Amino acid sequence: MSSKRKVKRYRLTKKGKKAAMMITAVLTIICLCFGLVSCMTSKNYIAEEFRESDISNKTAGHKFISEVFKKEDKIYALHYPNFDNAILSDEVEKIVEKAKILDEEEITSHLEYSSSKAFDQYISVTFTLTQYTEMEKNTPIMESGSKEIYSFVFDEKNQKFLTLEDCLRNKAYRELKSSYDESSLVLKEIKETGILVGTNQGDVWMKYDQNPDYFKLIHDSIPSILEYPVIEKQNRELNDKPRLAFTFDDGPTEGITKRIVDLFDQYNGRATFFALGSRMEQYPDILRYVVEHGHEVGSHSYDHPDLSILSWDEVNEQLGKTEDIFYSITGQEIELLRPTYGNVSQIMKENIDITFVFWTIDSMDWNSRNTQAIVDEIIPYLHEDAIILMHDLYESSADAIESILPQLADEYQFVTVSELLEAKENESRTQD
Ligand code: ZN
């Protein structure tokens, strides 16, 4: 659908403009009579305020303000909602302030809006601000003039503005980015059937029932692939000790993964688990345990093929399926991928937009399956920001962690891969 969708128009026709000027003139006289000239020059005169009769505004449940005034030979016709809510009023105020600024050549400022309310919770408002010069005003085409669109969606229940990221899962966002200019993407409206996305090529409707796997917006009436309650992300402050990121591939595994989580928890440390989609399906409770304890989970494919020899469709299926399973169990998105066998094809490099994570120390735990041998492959090779490759498959790997962590806890901090990458990025930024 194009951005020129039918919204309630308050555009002034030629007749309307005359009427507006007349109203302004009458008001000016009244003001003068009462010696209230200042109300026209310093404060903006509110012409009238009345209850909106349009259906869409009835559902949005608010009054609106209509200001028509003339100031320094410029005409302003501003229509905007009047919300009881302070957060909303502030946002509206900002847009109205913009509408009250005209360039030197411009002579008319015209603000109109449309609004709706969905699920008795989401208030969507779209403003259209059109400002005309003398010449534009005289052109017969009413679409002339500089036009700007402002939209916001407010979640009344949680008292916050929503963004596209609040509504859409990464996969849907990725799809939008492949067709439209990323910087133009904006959430315009939440409806009971779908969401309206503003793009550089006009508005796009995304319907809930067409792609239930696309939506992160949670409501009883919106279909979702979520099977468990959402686990909130936990952020924490790192300290100044050198960082180590221990990573565990191929899990989750009964009896091993939770044990490793508990060991890291003892030292206020966090690890990263590159899990297989097939095993997440098998052990949802272990997966939730890992995430609830603040550890990170990345993708290691669905069932461990060598991704580098697969076609893009096959790779996409391996990753997409794993992403959906992880989301359905935790309500979170996967941000990292450890390619199986550390192999990456050109196809993967070109098409995958999540972060590839390799390692700097290989514990060879899959080969030795011997606690001391594993410890000996790690301790002598440690360095700052090391990423250590292990597997949460074997008892010997968990035993090695039990031996290693107390030896290192004073000197190092144990962080997730994302924490490590973010800290490094912040450091390089402050060095610039
Ligand atoms: Zn593996």
Side-chain angles (χ1 to χ4, degrees), residues 26 85 127 132 180 350:
V26 170
N85 182 299
F127 292 90
Y132 304 91
Y180 306 102
E350 282 167 12

Side-chain angles (χ1 to χ4, degrees), residues 201-216:
Q201 294 167 52
D203 296 349
V204 178
W205 269 110
M206 298 181 82
K207 299 241 177 106
Y208 306 129
D209 56 357
Q210 279 169 5
N211 296 91
D213 55 332
Y214 274 14
F215 293 92
K216 208 150 78 170

Side-chain angles (χ1 to χ4, degrees), residues 117-122 190-193 208 219 221-222:
K117 192 171 184 179
F119 302 120
D120 204 29
Q121 178 177 356
Y122 304 111
I190 292 181
K191 285 229 176 198
E192 293 185 1
T193 49
Y208 306 129
H219 191 276
S221 312
I222 301 176

Side-chain angles (χ1 to χ4, degrees), residues 27-173:
L27 290 170
T28 311
I29 292 162
I30 296 169
C31 282
L32 284 169
C33 287
F34 290 91
L36 295 171
V37 184
S38 61
C39 81
M40 289 298 292
T41 49
S42 59
K43 277 187 180 165
N44 299 302
Y45 189 81
I46 295 175
E48 51 179 325
E49 182 181 335
F50 52 92
R51 205 170 271 281
E52 171 58 57
S53 60
D54 183 74
I55 303 275
S56 65
N57 280 324
K58 258 189 194 155
T59 18
H62 58 77
K63 291 178 177 181
F64 90 71
I65 293 175
S66 203
E67 281 186 83
V68 180
F69 61 96
K70 193 175 182 185
K71 194 174 136 192
E72 288 154 8
D73 280 343
K74 294 177 192 282
I75 295 170
Y76 300 79
L78 316 177
H79 312 277
Y80 52 92
N82 181 19
F83 292 106
D84 291 335
N85 182 299
I87 306 171
L88 274 174
S89 305
D90 281 356
E91 197 60 28
V92 173
E93 173 94 24
K94 279 184 214 158
I95 296 161
V96 173
E97 285 311 310
K98 275 184 194 139
K100 287 180 179 169
I101 300 167
L102 281 173
D103 284 351
E104 202 155 322
E105 325 79 68
E106 288 170 335
I107 56 154
T108 310
S109 183
H110 187 193
L111 182 68
E112 59 185 70
Y113 79 100
S114 67
S115 64
S116 70
K117 192 171 184 179
F119 302 120
D120 204 29
Q121 178 177 356
Y122 304 111
I123 298 172
S124 307
V125 185
T126 295
F127 292 90
T128 308
L129 173 62
T130 319
Q131 299 185 316
Y132 304 91
T133 61
E134 178 79 49
M135 204 178 77
E136 286 163 343
K137 195 194 77 175
N138 293 327
T139 45
I141 309 148
M142 287 308 287
E143 296 297 332
S144 67
S146 75
K147 181 176 278 193
E148 283 188 77
I149 310 272
Y150 304 94
S151 303
F152 62 74
V153 177
F154 187 69
D155 178 347
E156 216 178 15
K157 200 163 139 196
N158 299 301
Q159 292 290 304
K160 59 169 193 176
F161 290 101
L162 297 182
T163 63
L164 261 192
E165 287 87 344
D166 294 317
C167 300
L168 290 181
R169 289 193 48 215
N170 285 352
K171 62 194 292 187
Y173 206 74

Side-chain angles (χ1 to χ4, degrees), residues 343-403:
N343 295 338
V344 176
S345 63
Q346 196 58 31
I347 291 176
M348 291 165 70
K349 275 187 203 158
E350 282 167 12
N351 295 289
I352 299 175
D353 63 354
I354 63 175
T355 309
F356 294 115
V357 179
F358 302 94
W359 54 88
T360 63
I361 295 173
D362 186 349
S363 71
M364 301 295 282
D365 60 343
W366 58 276
N367 188 34
S368 70
R369 303 198 193 175
N370 174 292
T371 307
Q372 193 52 48
I374 298 167
V375 173
D376 291 344
E377 287 289 350
I378 297 171
I379 301 273
Y381 303 102
L382 284 177
H383 57 91
E384 191 171 355
D385 288 334
I387 298 179
I388 301 136
L389 170 64
M390 299 183 77
H391 295 79
D392 52 335
L393 286 175
Y394 318 112
E395 206 70 57
S396 50
S397 302
D399 290 341
I401 286 298
E402 193 166 357
S403 149

